[in-house]
Amino acid sequence: MVWRVVLGWLSFVAALGLAVVVTLAAQKYGFPVLAQQIILAVVTSSIAVPLIYLLRRYADNRPWSGLGLSSLPSGLPYLLLGAGFLSTMMGVALLAGTLAGWIRVVDVHLPVETLLIILINIPIAFFYEAFPEEVTFRGYLYSNLRKRFGKWLALLLQIVLFVSAPVALTAALVAAGVGTWDLITIDYIVNLLAFGTALQLCRIFSGNLWMCIGFHLAWLEMVRFVIVPSDYALIEVEYLSPYGSYLVSLGSVIVGIVVLLGWTYRNRNRQKENHE
């Protein structure tokens, strides 16, 4: 099990590292930003996902379906559930920030430019971040860890692996002379810890990776294009306090964690009652 987990983790880190290296080369040759983003997405998913599939098939000797990734038609309700759940939590955080005086909603509009950017960015974010990360961490790694350590300890270990992946990749890039430690900050680590917890709870609550993918995608689009201090955003906000930004980005995820824990605890009690 240990070697399967290590190889699964390395599969994603290696895929992401190669994607970054190829993208840096493309940047050097003058490729436009959109082309670089597409390269990141294509290289990451086309390497990480097949490697995870091979590990699942030949190292685990278990079916792919055991990772919780159902077919898209049956997974679509879970995808929408994850996206809708995160959007609701963002709305709660935005309302709380407004009532606290930390945030002011300047305007709500539908700029065509932003809608087009979101439509273009969704498949890029799907193949670069949401899909390969969920298949690897909340799918393959969690499934292996759970068999040895149980549900909750596996959750904690998965979060450690999730946070260590970008740190290890950054260390490798710095050692190769093509990266810096600028992005690895305390805020970044805290966000990853909370985000990884919420995503794993989505997996535990629903039993389906598509909910994790929907939650993941919605969070990426929300913090990049929907609730931002810009007249190109769908909801243009002004942060009157530094706490406002933390509340929207981190607070919405923490509220989601609390709700998911509550639902999970309630479902467990219902199952106990049904068995009695």
Side-chain angles (χ1 to χ4, degrees):
M1 186 280 297
V2 174
W3 282 111
R4 291 198 299 271
V5 168
V6 170
L7 289 173
W9 182 83
L10 285 174
S11 296
F12 177 80
V13 174
L16 185 58
L18 183 58
V20 171
V21 170
V22 173
T23 303
L24 289 174
Q27 184 181 37
K28 188 177 295 185
Y29 281 100
F31 280 59
V33 173
L34 180 59
Q36 295 175 36
Q37 293 174 340
I38 293 173
I39 290 171
L40 278 171
V42 171
V43 174
T44 302
S45 274
S46 62
I47 295 177
V49 177
L51 287 176
I52 294 298
Y53 177 82
L54 291 173
L55 285 171
R56 184 66 176 174
R57 176 77 179 274
Y58 297 106
D60 294 39
N61 291 316
R62 293 183 179 276
W64 180 256
S65 59
L67 299 185
L69 188 69
S70 61
S71 63
L72 182 55
S74 61
L76 183 59
Y78 291 100
L79 179 74
L80 297 177
L81 174 63
F85 178 64
L86 186 277
S87 300
T88 302
M89 295 303 100
M90 279 280 189
V92 170
L94 186 63
L95 177 61
T98 302
L99 293 176
W102 297 344
I103 300 170
R104 183 173 73 89
V105 176
V106 177
D107 199 2
V108 178
H109 36 57
L110 295 174
V112 175
E113 297 90 342
T114 302
L115 293 175
L116 289 174
I117 291 172
I118 291 174
L119 288 175
I120 293 170
N121 188 261
I122 284 176
I124 293 173
F126 178 87
F127 288 107
Y128 173 46
E129 297 172 271
F131 186 61
E133 287 184 13
E134 298 314 312
V135 167
T136 301
F137 292 98
R138 267 61 67 178
Y140 185 77
L141 296 183
Y142 175 70
S143 295
N144 274 280
L145 290 168
R146 184 179 179 182
K147 287 180 174 61
R148 174 68 64 86
F149 300 108
K151 179 166 56 179
W152 298 110
L153 182 54
L155 180 150
L156 295 175
L157 293 173
Q158 175 276 135
I159 294 170
V160 172
L161 292 169
F162 181 58
V163 174
S164 65
V167 175
L169 176 59
T170 300
L173 293 173
V174 170
V178 293
T180 67
W181 288 102
D182 294 347
L183 294 178
I184 308 299
T185 63
I186 297 298
D187 289 349
Y188 178 73
I189 297 297
V190 170
N191 272 287
L192 279 184
L193 290 170
F195 196 45
T197 302
L199 288 167
Q200 190 60 70
L201 287 172
C202 285
R203 170 76 167 85
I204 292 171
F205 169 75
S206 67
N208 196 300
L209 279 181
W210 285 109
M211 182 177 179
C212 306
I213 294 171
F215 187 98
H216 199 143
L217 270 178
W219 188 84
L220 291 172
E221 301 308 312
M222 284 280 184
V223 298
R224 290 173 180 171
F225 305 111
V226 179
I227 302 176
V228 290
S230 166
D231 55 2
Y232 290 103
L234 301 187
I235 302 176
E236 183 184 352
V237 299
E238 179 183 0
Y239 293 112
L240 306 176
S241 166
Y243 299 115
S245 178
Y246 289 118
L247 182 62
V248 171
S249 60
L250 182 60
S252 59
V253 176
I254 292 175
V255 173
I257 290 172
V258 173
V259 173
L260 287 167
L261 283 172
W263 277 348
T264 303
Y265 180 76
R266 185 178 180 183
N267 288 342
R268 186 181 67 176
N269 286 342
R270 282 181 176 177
Q271 290 173 359
K272 285 182 178 179
E273 291 173 0
N274 291 335
H275 287 300
E276 291 176 353

